[in-house]
Amino acid sequence: MRHWVRRLLTWPLAAVALYLSAALIGAIVPGSLISAAQQDGPDTEILLVAGPIHYDFLLPLNASTRARFSFLNDTGLPLQHPNARWLVVGWGAYDFYTTVGSYNQISTTAVLKGIFGDRSVMRVDVIGALRDDLNLPGFTLHSGEYAALTDAIADSFSQDPNGEPQPIDFAGFNDTDQFYEAKGRFNILRTCNTWVGRMLRASGRRFGAWTPLPYSVTLSRWLHW
């Protein structure tokens, strides 16, 4: 009996260790490259902002960004606000995003859905100028790479039959963020951080093949950029 108890306790620990090791290897091994078309135009710096388990993109609200995401103008997102400087974009699990106010409120249902499968959502927000002391990790993309990145992010939004984004009726975390139906299913192998990696590879730049955890994204950026 004790032998079987030890085995039952060992298997979950071994599975966690295997997952963490694979997340490390996935960050080190570069994914397949996608060639972004060369375009004339200035370089663009994008940033990443991290939470305990999640990365979001910060895209500068220049003319190119406003034009590419103009399909959100009629959904309540203050994209054209004169004080808006950055677009915050992230992809994640529905239950985590829309039923959790803070990490200490994460429910068992949200955790299980995050592991085994949940519908996905996009969270988008606009913010003003950043403080100089934030020192967020960033990437510099040429115009073709930036266009490819924003195309990939825009393509992550699910559309209704009329080709319009599908807002989700959720109060959000502040007065300006909005939530939308997204493409794809979220699970432990396809996380918000693997989405970040896919978007960066879609820009045509080298990045880790599988980046499910924040440290995977951090390590991959350090190794490949």
Side-chain angles (χ1 to χ4, degrees):
M1 183 68 180
R2 291 179 181 177
H3 172 71
W4 283 105
V5 170
R6 284 198 300 268
R7 292 189 67 178
L8 288 174
L9 293 175
T10 300
W11 288 340
L13 293 176
V16 170
L18 179 62
Y19 184 83
L20 295 176
S21 299
L24 177 65
I25 296 170
I28 295 172
V29 177
S32 58
L33 294 177
I34 301 172
S35 179
Q38 293 288 335
Q39 295 183 9
D40 293 332
D43 290 345
T44 301
E45 182 184 23
I46 66 171
L47 302 173
L48 292 176
V49 58
I53 61 173
H54 175 84
Y55 264 107
D56 284 321
F57 283 110
L58 290 182
L59 307 178
L61 274 173
N62 53 28
S64 172
T65 305
R66 292 180 195 271
R68 187 63 189 87
F69 293 94
S70 61
F71 62 91
L72 301 177
N73 281 332
D74 296 330
T75 65
L77 185 74
L79 197 64
Q80 305 299 331
H81 194 285
N83 295 328
R85 296 292 180 270
W86 296 89
L87 184 70
V88 185
V89 188
W91 181 93
Y94 182 90
D95 265 28
F96 266 88
Y97 258 146
T98 62
T99 65
V100 175
S102 61
Y103 286 110
N104 62 3
Q105 297 175 327
I106 296 175
S107 66
T108 302
T109 299
V111 172
L112 291 176
K113 284 188 173 182
I115 293 173
F116 296 108
D118 195 2
R119 58 195 277 203
S120 61
V121 296
M122 302 292 294
R123 176 180 178 267
V124 186
D125 198 2
V126 295
I127 59 174
L130 301 175
R131 298 199 320 265
D132 293 335
D133 61 343
L134 286 181
N135 194 30
L136 298 175
F139 310 86
T140 299
L141 304 176
H142 69 61
S143 56
E145 291 169 339
Y146 186 65
L149 172 72
T150 54
D151 283 348
I153 293 174
D155 189 55
S156 298
F157 289 80
S158 182
Q159 298 176 341
D160 67 16
N162 296 320
E164 299 295 329
Q166 298 176 284
I168 293 172
D169 186 14
F170 174 63
F173 302 132
N174 56 50
D175 294 334
T176 55
D177 64 344
Q178 298 286 329
F179 290 77
Y180 306 87
E181 298 284 353
K183 295 178 180 178
R185 296 278 296 176
F186 184 104
N187 58 54
I188 196 172
L189 301 178
R190 184 184 174 92
T191 69
C192 47
N193 300 301
T194 64
W195 176 82
V196 168
R198 291 200 312 275
M199 297 302 102
L200 290 170
R201 293 195 304 274
S203 75
R205 299 295 294 269
R206 187 180 298 276
F207 209 73
W210 188 60
T211 55
L213 299 171
Y215 82 79
S216 308
V217 174
T218 302
L219 177 60
S220 191
R221 174 182 174 272
W222 181 72
L223 287 173
H224 301 304
W225 287 66

